[in-house]
Amino acid sequence: MLISQLKIFGFRNIETASLNTNKRVNVFYGKNGSGKTSILEALFFLSRAKSFRTSKKGELLRDGSSLLAVSADLQQHLETHKLGIGLEGKGTTKLKLDGEVVTKLSQASILFPTQLITPESFDIFWSSPKARRSFFDFGLFHVEHEFQNEWNVYSKILKQTNALLRRSGVNQKELLYWYRGLVESANKIDHFRELFLEEHFSKAIKELALELEHNEKTDLLKNLLMRYKKKAFEQEISDDSLLKQIEKDIKYKQVGFGPNRADYLFLRDGEDMSSRLSRGQAKMLFYLLVVAMVNIIKQTTKKNILLLVDDLPSEVDQQTRQTMLEMLLHSQAQIFVTGIENNIAMEFMNYTDSVNVFHVEHGTVRQESMEQLCP
């Protein structure tokens, strides 16, 4: 398992919690507002130093507290690590790995791959291209080590270039220098993304479709084609072509191309599936995409992976719910899942006996015995 122990202090309404989470599935149940989602949020915060619920870090602090801390014992490649993160009232975040302060988040994140499913995740098919880029870039970060470095290079060049475009009295010769580097870096990122889609993700989807062909709920994978839609500088790179692009971008005071404007399309029979998906189909398809992503990382890097599932859908029919449970366990990840009722734990017990169950009430987390739930 990726996480054997989790400690939380002063996070949202959780005053303190010390949990043994050494099972494949860890279920947290309780009423709405009890604090169960905060546990998943704390883990996400530990993994990425940000929340999936708010951009204001101060909101993560327990009322009346000026400090929060989250730590976990991780196992990765047969080695045990202790990862911890703290946040002070002023918004200062400190990350520690094995007792040493970490200055780059990527040093810790690479040990702690965490994928998230929330009720809002299913909007990926209708939301902004940024959500779709983030989903695929997560896999690229763990599978292709050079991707993060190249993205950092591109981001720095883009920031500098946009700053120059917004200046009065723009120096086109200076901009020409930055545009050459920008196009070169943008092309590398586009290449990484296209290669990941072709060599990893499309292959994983086909394998998943074959493995689950007995389940009609997974028919969404059949003939599914994903395409990377570039917003690239498509002319031959020359000073003249770059200067034409610069003149155009000066009018809008920002670069008009690049991987930060790209998108991913989900096609079936040549048409964009997004316009034809029902809410139920979107949920099922997203579960399948997450399973494919987790399995790619697991098979390619041999890493243990964490899958956070907030509010396992209860409004779906029983067959769909069972398929979702089967999908989650098919992901090869350790699973932390929330729900209102404790029967979630019993449902997972139909597939595995490696299940912990915790009751969350008013920010207090208490482990319960599976023997009591399943006599």
Side-chain angles (χ1 to χ4, degrees):
M1 298 304 111
L2 177 56
I3 299 179
S4 58
Q5 189 171 52
L6 172 66
K7 293 183 179 180
I8 303 172
F9 173 80
F11 195 102
R12 295 279 190 183
N13 66 336
I14 300 174
E15 183 175 1
T16 182
S18 181
L19 313 174
N20 290 319
T21 57
N22 56 350
K23 297 291 180 69
R24 173 78 191 281
V25 180
N26 293 274
V27 175
F28 298 86
Y29 80 95
K31 296 179 180 179
N32 290 331
S34 61
K36 56 187 186 294
T37 297
S38 297
I39 296 167
L40 305 192
E41 186 181 17
L43 283 161
F44 191 86
F45 185 64
L46 179 61
S47 172
R48 305 196 191 182
K50 64 180 181 180
S51 164
F52 60 81
R53 298 165 76 186
T54 179
S55 59
K56 299 176 181 178
K57 291 183 179 179
E59 294 180 1
L60 304 180
L61 291 161
R62 179 178 168 83
D63 288 346
S65 177
S66 60
L67 174 70
L68 71 77
V70 183
S71 67
D73 292 342
L74 311 177
Q75 186 169 32
Q76 203 63 272
H77 296 138
L78 302 179
E79 294 184 352
T80 300
H81 301 274
K82 184 175 286 292
L83 180 64
I85 190 169
L87 174 67
E88 296 180 354
K90 295 181 180 180
T92 304
T93 303
K94 181 178 289 186
L95 191 64
K96 282 189 174 183
L97 177 61
D98 298 330
E100 299 291 331
V101 175
V102 174
T103 56
K104 290 184 178 181
L105 177 62
S106 59
Q107 291 177 264
S109 296
I110 203 164
L111 284 174
F112 194 18
T114 302
Q115 187 63 278
L116 173 72
I117 300 177
T118 73
E120 293 74 34
S121 296
F122 313 114
D123 289 336
I124 188 173
F125 303 106
W126 306 293
S127 60
S128 68
K130 182 179 179 180
R132 292 183 284 277
R133 292 195 303 268
S134 296
F135 176 79
F136 287 99
D137 285 352
F138 168 80
L140 260 170
F141 170 76
H142 289 283
V143 171
E144 177 51 67
H145 301 305
E146 287 303 313
F147 174 75
Q148 184 66 36
N149 294 333
E150 195 57 54
W151 181 259
N152 291 339
V153 169
Y154 175 77
S155 298
K156 289 177 181 177
I157 299 175
L158 180 64
K159 183 178 180 180
Q160 177 64 29
T161 306
N162 280 331
L164 290 172
L165 287 169
R166 289 191 290 267
R167 283 184 186 176
S168 58
V170 178
N171 186 324
Q172 291 198 7
K173 287 187 177 179
E174 185 179 1
L175 275 169
L176 191 59
Y177 166 80
W178 290 102
Y179 266 70
R180 291 192 191 106
L182 194 68
V183 172
E184 181 181 355
S185 183
N187 288 341
K188 288 180 181 178
I189 291 172
D190 284 337
H191 178 69
F192 280 136
R193 285 175 170 171
E194 289 175 323
L195 210 59
F196 180 75
L197 206 57
E198 180 182 345
E199 294 190 354
H200 292 286
F201 211 86
S202 295
K203 180 181 177 183
I205 287 293
K206 289 177 182 177
E207 291 176 352
L208 199 57
L210 287 174
E211 291 171 12
L212 302 170
E213 60 182 351
H214 64 280
N215 193 319
E216 64 180 27
K217 293 289 184 179
T218 63
D219 283 350
L220 288 165
L221 292 180
K222 292 181 179 178
N223 302 318
L224 173 63
L225 177 65
M226 289 165 293
R227 183 165 68 87
Y228 178 59
K229 185 179 179 182
K230 293 190 292 186
K231 183 70 173 178
F233 182 82
E234 296 181 344
Q235 303 177 57
E236 183 179 347
I237 301 176
S238 66
D239 286 356
D240 286 341
S241 62
L242 289 173
L243 285 169
K244 287 181 181 178
Q245 182 67 43
I246 288 171
E247 289 178 3
K248 182 179 178 180
D249 291 346
I250 287 174
K251 295 179 182 178
Y252 296 98
K253 300 186 181 300
Q254 63 179 346
V255 176
F257 64 92
N260 57 308
R261 293 170 173 265
D263 198 359
Y264 287 85
L265 302 180
F266 300 90
L267 306 174
R268 192 173 188 180
D269 300 327
E271 293 185 25
D272 187 352
M273 286 183 67
S274 302
S275 60
R276 295 188 291 173
L277 287 173
S278 67
R279 293 293 297 179
Q281 288 176 320
K283 291 178 180 180
M284 181 58 66
L285 182 55
F286 187 72
Y287 267 77
L288 292 164
L289 295 176
V290 168
V291 170
M293 181 66 78
V294 169
N295 288 348
I296 288 168
I297 296 171
K298 181 73 174 179
Q299 293 166 12
T300 306
T301 69
K302 311 303 179 186
K303 290 179 182 178
N304 291 325
I305 305 169
L306 182 64
L307 181 53
L308 307 176
V309 184
D310 188 32
D311 192 17
L312 189 70
S314 57
E315 76 282 4
V316 296
D317 61 80
Q318 188 60 30
Q319 185 182 1
T320 298
R321 187 174 171 88
Q322 289 177 355
T323 300
M324 287 178 170
L325 291 173
E326 185 182 349
M327 291 299 93
L328 293 175
L329 290 168
H330 198 83
S331 70
Q332 304 177 45
Q334 186 183 22
I335 301 163
F336 281 59
V337 59
T338 69
I340 295 176
E341 303 293 339
N342 61 13
N343 64 344
I344 298 175
M346 293 182 280
E347 289 178 282
F348 273 108
M349 286 291 289
N350 293 326
Y351 300 93
T352 176
D353 58 2
S354 184
V355 180
N356 280 325
V357 60
F358 302 88
H359 182 221
V360 187
E361 187 175 19
H362 304 306
T364 299
V365 188
R366 177 173 52 86
Q367 186 167 4
E368 295 189 344
S369 167
M370 286 303 302
E371 286 72 20
Q372 291 177 334
L373 291 176
C374 307

